[in-house]
Amino acid sequence: GNRKAKTDFRTIQGKGTGEKLGHIREERNKEIASRLQAVFCEWYDNGHVNEEDPNTCILRIRLRDGVLFSHGTRYDIDFGENK
């Protein structure tokens, strides 16, 4: 089921809904897993991801709102379509 989710990094914060899409090796996740591997190739295969672990899953976070901090300026973001 869907759960509340929150990101919190040094320069961006956000709130939204998390959705577990299933194990990374499930057939239905093949395309998105390939894209994630390509985007995160610098660290994907160096011990950060264990595809053998049954708890390794893809988590989609649909952001509702967020705050971005850049060069001393705050930007409030509303992802209205995900409310």
Side-chain angles (χ1 to χ4, degrees):
N2 291 339
R3 302 282 188 257
K4 291 183 180 178
K6 179 180 176 184
T7 63
D8 192 355
F9 302 99
R10 255 188 262 163
T11 59
I12 188 168
Q13 299 174 3
K15 290 182 245 166
T17 303
E19 177 185 359
K20 182 179 176 181
L21 299 181
H23 192 268
I24 192 139
R25 287 191 174 172
E26 286 183 24
E27 185 63 32
R28 67 182 176 166
N29 290 328
K30 190 174 183 176
E31 182 180 334
I32 194 168
S34 176
R35 292 190 337 226
L36 290 169
Q37 291 166 356
V39 169
F40 299 109
C41 64
E42 289 188 26
W43 60 266
Y44 194 92
D45 290 324
N46 67 1
H48 290 282
V49 178
N50 179 0
E51 291 185 355
E52 300 295 327
D53 184 337
N55 294 311
T56 298
C57 67
I58 298 175
L59 177 66
R60 174 189 306 170
I61 300 176
R62 295 180 188 267
L63 292 174
R64 199 172 49 250
D65 56 62
V67 179
L68 170 69
F69 299 95
S70 179
H71 305 288
T73 302
R74 174 188 171 126
Y75 299 92
D76 291 301
I77 306 165
D78 180 3
F79 298 98
E81 67 274 1
N82 291 322
K83 287 185 178 180

